[in-house]
Structure formats: C-alpha cells, structure tokens
Amino acid sequence: MNQDQTENTSLSNTQKVLSSLIAGGCAGAVSKTTIAPFDRAKINFQVRAEKFSYRRCFKFIKDTYRKDGFICLYRGNSANLARVIPAAAIYFSAHEQWKRLLNTDKYEKTPGRRFIAGSLAGLTSSTITYPLDLARARMAVTSKTVYTNLFSVFLTVFRTEGVFALYRGALWSMIGVLPYSGFVFFTYESLKHIRLDYQSHRPINKTERMCFGAISGLIGQTVSYPFDVIRRRLQTAAVIRPNERYLGAIATARKIIREEGITSGLYKGVTMNWFKGPISIGVSFMTFDTLIKLIRQSSLFSQIS
C-alpha cells in the first residue's frame, strides 16, 4: 500500500467523495481553460474536410484573434467549463469509488482493475454530461449569430432537431471513452507505482505527477482519437453538413475513410492533441492531486462527516 492510499485512511467515504468532487471540478476548469484556443482550432478541423497542419491551425487562431478579438479564441469555453467542471468532478470522484468497489491495488497490485476502474469512471462521467459536450462542440464551430449562449444551443436543438438530438453520437462517445479513460488512469497509476517502487522513501512531487499525467494523456488520446473525430462529426453535422445530419456513426466513419483516408481523416488533428493533450491531462492530474491533499488536510474539511 503506497503513500497515496495510506495518508487519508481516517476519512469517511462521504469526505472522500466531497473532496474529490471539489478538487476534480477545479482541476478540469484549470486544465481546459489552459488549452481552450487550441481545442477550438482542433474541433474546427475535425468537422471539416480541410487538411490539418500546425501552420493552418495557428493561422486559424491568428485570424480569429484579428477578426473577432482575444475573447473569441475562448468561444465555447463557457459551455466547455459548464461541461468540464461537473464532468471532471464526477470523473475523478467516480474513479476513486470504482477503485474502492473493485479493491484496486488494495492488497496487491492489480493492473487489470486499474484499467477497468478508469474506463468505468470515464463512462460514468460521459453518460451524465454528454449534452453539455454536444453544446460545447456546436458553439466552437459556429458564430454568435447561430448560438448566442449555452442556453440557446439547448433551446434551438430541442426545437429544430428534437430532444434525442442532444444525445446524438452519445453511444459512440461512450464506446470511445472506455479505452481513453482506461489507458489514462491505468498509465498514470502504473507510473506512480513504478516510481514508488524505485524510490519509496521520497513522496511523488508535482513535476513528476504532471509528467505522469502528460504521458498518460498522450497514450490515451492517441488510442481513442478516431472515436473523438466521429463524435464531433455527429455532434456538428446539423450546423456544418446538413445533408449528413441523419448519418449514423458507422456511415460517418466510412464516409471519412472514403473521402479523406484514415490518417488525414480519422486522425486529423491528432498532432494537435499530442501538443495540447499532455499539457491538459498533466495540469489536470497535478492540480487534482495538489488540491485534494490541501482539502483533505484542512481543519474545516475534517469537520464534515
């Protein structure tokens, strides 16, 4: 049993859930805001036929800044935060609870359970917050004349496409989140175990946690990236390609492969994820681990039963 497992054994499960919800929400907000302009640029390439390159990506960011101003680089980020804060809170909290239910690494090292706990955490979070993810994608690829705010996205989609459109692409998203979340948490937890086995006398510092998170994010996002591209196409078809609004996930995937290929289609923009993904996941894990220790060690929090 490592330090992370032993330092909070006196806390009740209610305290663990509350602290992980708070720390997870904050971690998600910090990490996503950090890379929001790059995320918006990536989505715009994912949902269009234009080929991706870093030159075109930075040109998109520069042109957006010149035309609409700095704030527009963060268009859709409010919807993203509305999704990310509860999603990250549920994500990290669910991971702790799934680890507890599965007795992950409790008595011995159980790498298989690490993967399962991570996958189930991602599935739990994705299922609950999916409509917010769809709204964020719609706002990222449209101007203010289409959707003025987060509420207008839900209202317009509900009126013109029906309530089930809020979950368009949800099944594909849930399928994709299983390997992504599984590999992210499996890699992160495994790297911590390896590090503690090598130097058990020294606590894991913030830099190491950020590096472990960056590596886990790189692996997880590369494995699951095609699912992300298809999900974005499904989410934004009604506003970008109306003639494809009724295509399902398989038909969309076939169309992408046929017209754009695998590398230039299903993996379009993946190099941007290699740039921003490790930063986002690294910042997220470092922020979560730092905040959760501070919260759980505070005298005020110890009074919560």
Side-chain angles (χ1 to χ4, degrees), residues 212-227:
F212 296 163
I215 294 170
S216 66
L218 181 63
I219 294 173
Q221 292 193 349
T222 300
V223 169
S224 64
Y225 194 79
F227 295 98

PDB file of all heavy atoms in Angstrom, residues 212-227:
ATOM      1  N   PHE A 212       3.738  12.339 -15.386  1.00  0.00           N
ATOM      2  CA  PHE A 212       2.979  11.087 -15.471  1.00  0.00           C
ATOM      3  C   PHE A 212       1.632  11.332 -16.153  1.00  0.00           C
ATOM      4  O   PHE A 212       1.173  10.533 -16.973  1.00  0.00           O
ATOM      5  CB  PHE A 212       2.753  10.492 -14.086  1.00  0.00           C
ATOM      6  CG  PHE A 212       4.022  10.073 -13.376  1.00  0.00           C
ATOM      7  CD1 PHE A 212       4.027   9.852 -12.003  1.00  0.00           C
ATOM      8  CD2 PHE A 212       5.211   9.909 -14.065  1.00  0.00           C
ATOM      9  CE1 PHE A 212       5.188   9.469 -11.347  1.00  0.00           C
ATOM     10  CE2 PHE A 212       6.380   9.533 -13.419  1.00  0.00           C
ATOM     11  CZ  PHE A 212       6.363   9.317 -12.052  1.00  0.00           C
ATOM     12  N   GLY A 213       0.980  12.454 -15.795  1.00  0.00           N
ATOM     13  CA  GLY A 213      -0.291  12.793 -16.414  1.00  0.00           C
ATOM     14  C   GLY A 213      -0.138  13.073 -17.900  1.00  0.00           C
ATOM     15  O   GLY A 213      -0.982  12.681 -18.711  1.00  0.00           O
ATOM     16  N   ALA A 214       0.952  13.750 -18.272  1.00  0.00           N
ATOM     17  CA  ALA A 214       1.204  14.064 -19.677  1.00  0.00           C
ATOM     18  C   ALA A 214       1.393  12.790 -20.499  1.00  0.00           C
ATOM     19  O   ALA A 214       0.846  12.657 -21.600  1.00  0.00           O
ATOM     20  CB  ALA A 214       2.429  14.966 -19.794  1.00  0.00           C
ATOM     21  N   ILE A 215       2.154  11.858 -19.968  1.00  0.00           N
ATOM     22  CA  ILE A 215       2.392  10.587 -20.669  1.00  0.00           C
ATOM     23  C   ILE A 215       1.091   9.799 -20.811  1.00  0.00           C
ATOM     24  O   ILE A 215       0.791   9.258 -21.881  1.00  0.00           O
ATOM     25  CB  ILE A 215       3.452   9.744 -19.923  1.00  0.00           C
ATOM     26  CG1 ILE A 215       4.815  10.452 -19.969  1.00  0.00           C
ATOM     27  CG2 ILE A 215       3.563   8.347 -20.539  1.00  0.00           C
ATOM     28  CD1 ILE A 215       5.853   9.823 -19.065  1.00  0.00           C
ATOM     29  N   SER A 216       0.306   9.759 -19.740  1.00  0.00           N
ATOM     30  CA  SER A 216      -0.962   9.020 -19.780  1.00  0.00           C
ATOM     31  C   SER A 216      -1.930   9.656 -20.761  1.00  0.00           C
ATOM     32  O   SER A 216      -2.655   8.957 -21.479  1.00  0.00           O
ATOM     33  CB  SER A 216      -1.584   8.949 -18.378  1.00  0.00           C
ATOM     34  OG  SER A 216      -1.965  10.234 -17.920  1.00  0.00           O
ATOM     35  N   GLY A 217      -1.941  10.995 -20.814  1.00  0.00           N
ATOM     36  CA  GLY A 217      -2.814  11.685 -21.754  1.00  0.00           C
ATOM     37  C   GLY A 217      -2.412  11.425 -23.191  1.00  0.00           C
ATOM     38  O   GLY A 217      -3.267  11.245 -24.072  1.00  0.00           O
ATOM     39  N   LEU A 218      -1.118  11.398 -23.462  1.00  0.00           N
ATOM     40  CA  LEU A 218      -0.607  11.144 -24.806  1.00  0.00           C
ATOM     41  C   LEU A 218      -1.037   9.767 -25.296  1.00  0.00           C
ATOM     42  O   LEU A 218      -1.513   9.601 -26.424  1.00  0.00           O
ATOM     43  CB  LEU A 218       0.913  11.257 -24.814  1.00  0.00           C
ATOM     44  CG  LEU A 218       1.624  11.044 -26.153  1.00  0.00           C
ATOM     45  CD1 LEU A 218       1.209  12.118 -27.150  1.00  0.00           C
ATOM     46  CD2 LEU A 218       3.132  11.044 -25.969  1.00  0.00           C
ATOM     47  N   ILE A 219      -0.897   8.772 -24.433  1.00  0.00           N
ATOM     48  CA  ILE A 219      -1.266   7.403 -24.800  1.00  0.00           C
ATOM     49  C   ILE A 219      -2.779   7.271 -24.969  1.00  0.00           C
ATOM     50  O   ILE A 219      -3.272   6.744 -25.969  1.00  0.00           O
ATOM     51  CB  ILE A 219      -0.750   6.404 -23.749  1.00  0.00           C
ATOM     52  CG1 ILE A 219       0.785   6.381 -23.746  1.00  0.00           C
ATOM     53  CG2 ILE A 219      -1.316   5.000 -24.016  1.00  0.00           C
ATOM     54  CD1 ILE A 219       1.392   5.548 -22.634  1.00  0.00           C
ATOM     55  N   GLY A 220      -3.523   7.760 -23.988  1.00  0.00           N
ATOM     56  CA  GLY A 220      -4.978   7.626 -24.015  1.00  0.00           C
ATOM     57  C   GLY A 220      -5.615   8.307 -25.207  1.00  0.00           C
ATOM     58  O   GLY A 220      -6.489   7.743 -25.873  1.00  0.00           O
ATOM     59  N   GLN A 221      -5.171   9.523 -25.519  1.00  0.00           N
ATOM     60  CA  GLN A 221      -5.783  10.263 -26.618  1.00  0.00           C
ATOM     61  C   GLN A 221      -5.405   9.689 -27.985  1.00  0.00           C
ATOM     62  O   GLN A 221      -6.195   9.756 -28.921  1.00  0.00           O
ATOM     63  CB  GLN A 221      -5.404  11.736 -26.522  1.00  0.00           C
ATOM     64  CG  GLN A 221      -6.030  12.417 -25.307  1.00  0.00           C
ATOM     65  CD  GLN A 221      -5.931  13.931 -25.367  1.00  0.00           C
ATOM     66  OE1 GLN A 221      -5.238  14.488 -26.189  1.00  0.00           O
ATOM     67  NE2 GLN A 221      -6.636  14.585 -24.463  1.00  0.00           N
ATOM     68  N   THR A 222      -4.207   9.144 -28.100  1.00  0.00           N
ATOM     69  CA  THR A 222      -3.807   8.537 -29.374  1.00  0.00           C
ATOM     70  C   THR A 222      -4.640   7.291 -29.660  1.00  0.00           C
ATOM     71  O   THR A 222      -5.103   7.080 -30.785  1.00  0.00           O
ATOM     72  CB  THR A 222      -2.311   8.164 -29.352  1.00  0.00           C
ATOM     73  OG1 THR A 222      -1.539   9.354 -29.124  1.00  0.00           O
ATOM     74  CG2 THR A 222      -1.883   7.543 -30.658  1.00  0.00           C
ATOM     75  N   VAL A 223      -4.851   6.474 -28.634  1.00  0.00           N
ATOM     76  CA  VAL A 223      -5.623   5.240 -28.799  1.00  0.00           C
ATOM     77  C   VAL A 223      -7.071   5.531 -29.186  1.00  0.00           C
ATOM     78  O   VAL A 223      -7.651   4.871 -30.051  1.00  0.00           O
ATOM     79  CB  VAL A 223      -5.581   4.415 -27.490  1.00  0.00           C
ATOM     80  CG1 VAL A 223      -6.589   3.267 -27.548  1.00  0.00           C
ATOM     81  CG2 VAL A 223      -4.179   3.869 -27.248  1.00  0.00           C
ATOM     82  N   SER A 224      -7.671   6.544 -28.576  1.00  0.00           N
ATOM     83  CA  SER A 224      -9.110   6.783 -28.743  1.00  0.00           C
ATOM     84  C   SER A 224      -9.453   7.894 -29.729  1.00  0.00           C
ATOM     85  O   SER A 224     -10.630   8.210 -29.917  1.00  0.00           O
ATOM     86  CB  SER A 224      -9.719   7.131 -27.377  1.00  0.00           C
ATOM     87  OG  SER A 224      -9.178   8.357 -26.895  1.00  0.00           O
ATOM     88  N   TYR A 225      -8.457   8.481 -30.387  1.00  0.00           N
ATOM     89  CA  TYR A 225      -8.703   9.674 -31.202  1.00  0.00           C
ATOM     90  C   TYR A 225      -9.744   9.497 -32.316  1.00  0.00           C
ATOM     91  O   TYR A 225     -10.581  10.393 -32.518  1.00  0.00           O
ATOM     92  CB  TYR A 225      -7.392  10.192 -31.804  1.00  0.00           C
ATOM     93  CG  TYR A 225      -7.531  11.575 -32.365  1.00  0.00           C
ATOM     94  CD1 TYR A 225      -7.527  12.690 -31.542  1.00  0.00           C
ATOM     95  CD2 TYR A 225      -7.694  11.776 -33.736  1.00  0.00           C
ATOM     96  CE1 TYR A 225      -7.672  13.968 -32.050  1.00  0.00           C
ATOM     97  CE2 TYR A 225      -7.842  13.054 -34.261  1.00  0.00           C
ATOM     98  CZ  TYR A 225      -7.831  14.141 -33.408  1.00  0.00           C
ATOM     99  OH  TYR A 225      -7.991  15.409 -33.919  1.00  0.00           O
ATOM    100  N   PRO A 226      -9.751   8.393 -33.071  1.00  0.00           N
ATOM    101  CA  PRO A 226     -10.772   8.246 -34.127  1.00  0.00           C
ATOM    102  C   PRO A 226     -12.200   8.351 -33.599  1.00  0.00           C
ATOM    103  O   PRO A 226     -13.081   8.887 -34.274  1.00  0.00           O
ATOM    104  CB  PRO A 226     -10.491   6.848 -34.688  1.00  0.00           C
ATOM    105  CG  PRO A 226      -9.032   6.644 -34.438  1.00  0.00           C
ATOM    106  CD  PRO A 226      -8.785   7.277 -33.099  1.00  0.00           C
ATOM    107  N   PHE A 227     -12.440   7.851 -32.388  1.00  0.00           N
ATOM    108  CA  PHE A 227     -13.768   7.969 -31.788  1.00  0.00           C
ATOM    109  C   PHE A 227     -14.131   9.433 -31.570  1.00  0.00           C
ATOM    110  O   PHE A 227     -15.285   9.839 -31.720  1.00  0.00           O
ATOM    111  CB  PHE A 227     -13.818   7.221 -30.449  1.00  0.00           C
ATOM    112  CG  PHE A 227     -13.637   5.733 -30.565  1.00  0.00           C
ATOM    113  CD1 PHE A 227     -12.409   5.144 -30.338  1.00  0.00           C
ATOM    114  CD2 PHE A 227     -14.704   4.919 -30.911  1.00  0.00           C
ATOM    115  CE1 PHE A 227     -12.231   3.773 -30.441  1.00  0.00           C
ATOM    116  CE2 PHE A 227     -14.552   3.541 -31.018  1.00  0.00           C
ATOM    117  CZ  PHE A 227     -13.311   2.970 -30.782  1.00  0.00           C
TER     118      PHE A 227
END
